[in-house]
Amino acid sequence: MANEDGLLPVGLAPEGENDDDTRADAAVLFGIDLGDGSAAPIDVDADDGEGGTATTNSNGTGPSVAGTGNTSKRKSPVWADFEEIYEVINGSRICTNAVCKMCKTTLSARSSAGTGHLKRHQKSCRIKTDQRARVQSRLSYNPNGSVYNWDYKPKVARSELCRLIAKLDLPLGICETDAWEEYIVRVHNPRFVKVPRQTTTRDLGKLFNERCNIIKNCVLSSASSVGLTSDIWSGNAKEDYISVVAYYMTADWELQKKVIGLCLIEVKHTSDNIAEKIACVIEAFGLLDKVFSVTLGNSSSNAKAMETLTPMFAGYLGSEPAPTPSDPNKVKYHLVHQCCACHIINMIVKSGLKRFKPYTEDFRTAINFLNSSNQRIALFNNFCITKGVRPRKFGLDMDVRWNATYLMLKHLLPYKDVFSVFINSNYGSTLLTASHWYIAAKILEFLEVFYDSTVTLSGVYYLTSPLILHHLLDIITHLHESSKNQNLFSVVYPMKLKYLKYWKDISLLYSFAFILDPRGKMRGLFNVLTIMQQKTGFDYSSYYGIVKTKIFKLFNKYEEKFGAARSQRRAAHPASITGKRKHAWGRIFGGPGASGVVGPSPASAPSPSLSTSAAACELSTYLDSDNVTTYEDDFDLLLWWRDHKLTYPVLSIMARDIMSVPRFNSVFRILFQLDRKNT
């Protein structure tokens, strides 16, 4: 039997009621004539998509009926996915909210709000629900095109758990805890079973071996050459590890890196032990004949280790006799050994930072005083809030890494007002004065050039080789200008001596990378050397000719090894130049601070004879062509060489190898970034 209470709102009289009385009451109450009962019913829940008013009667006469918290059955189909929430307001039971049955979101359901927002939520929620259903079903296709459903596989779950532990550095025992099992079973998979710690340990070993095989057989096997970095790192467990990182260029000209070795070194860090560890890693990955460059720290043991490693790693470009009067059997190996540029910057700054120590010692005392008491830290935080400044913690610098001193001062300077007042009022005497902050600002300004250079040269996924000569020019210019300040002369003098010790003789690889930037070439190198000669007082006139000769000799080696690539490629017109720029060229070719010099034509320096006229044409054509003048921020050097690899088939290979040489040591970069993060 129909619910009698539910018939009245839709215009139907229940059995036993007097139809005439009902129609008369309706005429008085609503001002409409129901006639003989055949008139269309009034839909109090009719939805217009946005508003909350119902439609008028069939004759179009009479006022609109607004929603009044009716508890009758809703007519809009949107309510099939929502649960109504009623509240008693002023004695009336009114629907105020609607809870989505799919996502449990609570939305407004007052009649004045309409149902338009409910429809929009219903549409988006159904899409998300369908997507989740498809993901949960894990539909996959058989070879014959049929579909099979996803099935829980404990082996796959254990493998993915190992990847999660490795990525997040989680403890091995997390997988056997009750809390972990409860979380997975309740939220993700009711069929999950706890995994013992020993099983996880074995699974991690298997996963490590699988990943090593993938890198060895699939990734690095396709790379034509690699650049290596290595250093020794000490963990919290007081154990020393030696790292080996390989940098290479993919077929799509994308710079990549892989950590191929992190071995425990329990013996003394002698050159023989270092060389043995590195050689074992390289041999295990089959890279003995693919090593183009090795970048190590600046210790004497690393330098002696390279004497052992060089003959082993010289298989990529080979060697040639280089007899001398003292050693007629001497052999020259075509392997690039580079010292970490960031390490050199570190030593340059530390040599001058010693003179700044008396000026920064009071800041260290103040930070130690603040951090020595939790109550004092809380008082400082409250003081900052009172002054409208966001509280923060301050860390001490470290003697071994100068950038920690730079970051300490950089974070202190914005708080100089509140920090000075708080320290001086609680320390018992005036510890920090206005002169302290003035000196700190000057020190920060002086160190900024070195910090920016270190950050830039510590990059991983962009080229740093073409940038090193720019930063050498920045640093020596900064030291030269700062030496004119009598207050800084005692600081700058030892730094300049340290700079000349390592970089007076510019590495040929630095110049090669600069030349292979189409914006630089030989003309740009001439300008750079002229400016550096003005700043250092060292004559670089003969160095220019040496660079020209050496780059042709190096290209001749590439011609012998990769000359066959030319016959397999056809010439192509250069593509459009796009990408990104890493350093301003104004000082070199003009603009503010320019020297005004213009480099000579590359043809002015004699070129050594090459094995073939095609090779001479390829390298000479590149050097004799006009410099690219696209200095916009979107210039990409790799993209330029990728677009011109058909025009310069062999030269592009040489450029790829030189450009991919890292300018930093991997462990130095990790420690440097940790300082930035911790401070």
Side-chain angles (χ1 to χ4, degrees):
M1 182 175 180
N3 186 345
E4 296 181 356
D5 294 337
L7 297 176
L8 291 175
V10 296
L12 297 178
E15 279 184 87
E17 291 290 343
N18 190 321
D19 294 347
D20 295 335
D21 294 342
T22 303
R23 286 191 291 272
D25 293 340
V28 174
L29 180 61
F30 300 110
I32 59 175
D33 185 12
L34 295 180
D36 59 358
S38 61
I42 299 173
D43 186 1
V44 298
D45 287 311
D47 174 61
D48 61 352
E50 295 295 337
T53 60
T55 58
T56 63
N57 61 7
S58 59
N59 296 328
T61 61
S64 299
V65 181
T68 58
N70 199 331
T71 61
S72 62
K73 184 178 180 181
R74 301 284 188 174
K75 289 298 184 295
S76 178
V78 74
W79 293 103
D81 291 325
F82 287 91
E83 181 181 353
E84 303 172 53
I85 304 298
Y86 289 89
E87 295 181 7
V88 178
I89 301 177
N90 296 329
S92 300
R93 188 166 178 263
I94 299 176
C95 181
T96 57
N97 295 305
V99 179
C100 178
K101 296 179 180 179
M102 293 176 283
C103 66
K104 306 303 179 184
T105 301
T106 302
L107 303 173
S108 174
R110 292 183 178 272
S111 58
S112 59
T115 56
H117 65 295
L118 300 180
K119 284 186 174 182
R120 290 190 292 271
H121 179 84
Q122 180 192 46
K123 181 180 179 181
S124 63
C125 201
R126 281 183 175 178
I127 294 175
K128 295 177 182 178
T129 302
D130 293 341
Q131 290 175 348
R132 285 194 296 266
R134 286 194 296 268
V135 172
Q136 291 174 358
S137 62
R138 303 284 186 176
L139 293 179
S140 301
Y141 291 92
N142 291 315
N144 59 3
S146 60
V147 179
Y148 66 90
N149 290 330
W150 172 82
D151 188 21
Y152 172 65
K153 299 178 181 179
K155 185 177 180 180
V156 176
R158 285 162 41 191
S159 177
E160 294 301 317
L161 178 62
C162 290
R163 294 182 65 232
L164 179 67
I165 291 175
K167 286 182 177 181
L168 302 182
D169 196 19
L170 299 175
L172 298 179
I174 190 175
C175 50
E176 61 180 1
T177 60
D178 294 334
W180 176 264
E181 181 185 27
E182 182 180 4
Y183 166 70
I184 297 297
V185 169
R186 286 190 176 185
V187 180
H188 297 285
N189 186 7
R191 297 171 57 186
F192 176 79
V193 180
K194 288 192 297 185
V195 183
R197 181 200 303 257
Q198 293 78 6
T199 303
T200 303
T201 303
R202 292 193 297 268
D203 291 341
L204 276 170
K206 294 178 182 178
L207 179 63
F208 175 80
N209 293 330
E210 291 175 1
R211 294 295 177 180
C212 286
N213 291 330
I214 292 175
I215 294 176
K216 182 191 307 182
N217 301 324
C218 300
V219 179
L220 294 180
S221 61
S222 60
S224 62
S225 66
V226 296
L228 302 178
T229 65
S230 179
D231 204 357
I232 296 176
W233 171 79
S234 297
N236 293 331
K238 304 302 180 182
E239 294 177 332
D240 295 337
Y241 293 85
I242 185 169
S243 67
V244 181
V245 183
Y247 294 81
Y248 63 97
M249 204 81 71
T250 65
D252 296 328
W253 288 76
E254 293 180 353
L255 187 61
Q256 299 290 333
K257 78 176 181 83
K258 299 293 181 184
V259 180
I260 60 176
L262 188 63
C263 308
L264 183 65
I265 179 169
E266 299 176 308
V267 294
K268 191 175 180 180
H269 303 168
T270 62
S271 59
D272 293 337
N273 293 331
I274 292 175
E276 180 183 0
K277 290 290 183 179
I278 297 176
C280 289
V281 173
I282 301 305
E283 186 176 2
F285 280 84
L287 299 176
L288 288 177
D289 58 345
K290 291 187 176 184
V291 179
F292 174 75
S293 68
V294 180
T295 303
L296 300 177
N298 302 289
S299 64
S300 58
S301 57
N302 285 333
K304 293 189 66 175
M306 279 304 303
E307 297 178 3
T308 304
L309 294 174
T310 298
M312 301 173 58
F313 293 168
Y316 182 62
L317 292 178
S319 60
E320 61 182 18
T324 61
S326 59
D327 187 3
N329 297 323
K330 184 178 180 180
V331 178
K332 179 182 179 181
Y333 298 97
H334 294 280
L335 174 70
V336 179
H337 169 220
Q338 291 295 309
C339 294
C340 176
C342 296
H343 273 167
I344 296 177
I345 295 176
N346 185 44
M347 289 187 291
I348 291 173
V349 178
K350 285 174 61 178
S351 64
L353 206 60
K354 299 174 183 178
R355 279 74 179 176
F356 284 137
K357 193 169 184 179
Y359 303 103
T360 59
E361 192 62 35
D362 288 337
F363 290 103
R364 297 186 184 94
T365 303
I367 293 176
N368 268 326
F369 173 74
L370 175 63
N371 294 338
S372 61
S373 170
N374 292 334
Q375 291 78 10
R376 198 173 292 133
I377 294 175
L379 288 175
F380 177 73
N381 292 340
N382 293 332
F383 181 70
C384 289
I385 295 173
T386 303
K387 294 296 183 179
V389 180
R390 183 181 178 182
R392 70 157 298 155
K393 294 182 179 180
F394 301 100
L396 286 173
D397 59 345
M398 302 177 63
D399 292 335
V400 293
R401 293 195 293 276
W402 70 268
N403 59 293
T405 303
Y406 173 86
L407 292 173
M408 179 186 73
L409 298 177
K410 182 180 180 180
H411 295 145
L412 274 174
L413 276 174
Y415 289 80
K416 63 179 182 179
D417 294 331
V418 294
F419 191 78
S420 293
V421 172
F422 181 84
I423 294 298
N424 292 337
S425 60
N426 289 272
Y427 189 72
S429 61
T430 302
L431 183 61
L432 300 177
T433 63
S435 60
H436 284 87
W437 295 106
Y438 176 79
I439 294 174
K442 291 298 181 181
I443 294 175
L444 196 66
E445 181 182 355
F446 176 76
L447 296 178
E448 186 174 6
V449 172
F450 304 97
Y451 182 80
D452 291 342
S453 296
T454 305
V455 172
T456 303
L457 297 179
S458 298
V460 176
Y461 296 110
Y462 61 83
L463 303 180
T464 56
S465 295
L467 307 179
I468 181 65
L469 210 55
H470 292 282
H471 287 280
L472 293 188
L473 190 59
D474 286 342
I475 292 173
I476 191 59
T477 301
H478 180 63
L479 292 176
H480 179 73
E481 297 299 327
S482 300
S483 62
K484 300 176 182 178
N485 188 335
Q486 295 298 325
N487 296 326
L488 292 176
F489 181 80
S490 61
V491 177
V492 173
Y493 182 74
M495 297 177 68
K496 197 169 183 179
L497 291 179
K498 188 71 70 172
Y499 176 95
L500 295 176
K501 175 183 177 181
Y502 287 99
W503 282 333
K504 181 185 71 173
D505 298 326
I506 303 173
S507 171
L508 288 174
L509 195 65
Y510 296 171
S511 300
F512 292 167
F514 183 89
I515 293 170
L516 292 175
D517 187 332
R519 298 167 293 181
K521 299 187 178 181
M522 297 300 297
R523 298 181 182 90
L525 179 65
F526 178 85
N527 292 0
V528 170
L529 295 178
T530 301
I531 298 173
M532 295 191 71
Q533 180 173 334
Q534 297 171 357
K535 306 301 181 183
T536 62
F538 185 75
D539 185 11
Y540 287 100
S541 57
S542 61
Y543 178 78
Y544 179 82
I546 294 174
V547 171
K548 183 69 178 293
T549 302
K550 293 295 184 181
I551 195 172
F552 270 88
K553 286 185 177 181
L554 179 63
F555 181 78
N556 196 26
K557 297 296 295 183
Y558 274 86
E559 175 64 27
E560 295 174 2
K561 185 176 181 66
F562 300 104
R566 180 177 294 105
S567 60
Q568 300 173 4
R569 302 181 180 183
R570 58 181 179 85
H573 297 288
S576 59
I577 302 170
T578 58
K580 58 184 177 181
R581 173 178 62 97
K582 289 297 179 184
H583 195 78
W585 293 76
R587 181 170 49 241
I588 298 175
F589 288 113
S595 63
V597 296
V598 178
S601 170
S604 61
S607 303
S609 60
L610 295 174
S611 58
T612 63
S613 59
C617 178
E618 183 176 329
L619 180 58
S620 299
T621 299
Y622 170 79
L623 294 177
D624 293 339
S625 61
D626 293 336
N627 291 45
V628 173
T629 57
T630 304
Y631 302 138
E632 285 76 11
D633 293 342
D634 60 350
F635 185 85
D636 190 333
L637 187 55
L638 282 182
L639 185 62
W640 191 93
W641 276 107
R642 189 191 70 181
D643 292 341
H644 291 74
K645 65 181 179 181
L646 299 181
T647 306
Y648 309 110
V650 177
L651 187 61
S652 63
I653 298 176
M654 188 174 84
R656 180 190 60 195
D657 292 344
I658 292 176
M659 298 295 180
S660 60
V661 175
R663 295 297 170 210
F664 62 93
N665 178 277
S666 56
V667 174
F668 180 88
R669 175 179 177 272
I670 293 173
L671 297 176
F672 182 80
Q673 290 192 340
L674 283 176
D675 285 342
R676 297 173 65 191
K677 180 179 179 181
N678 293 336
T679 54

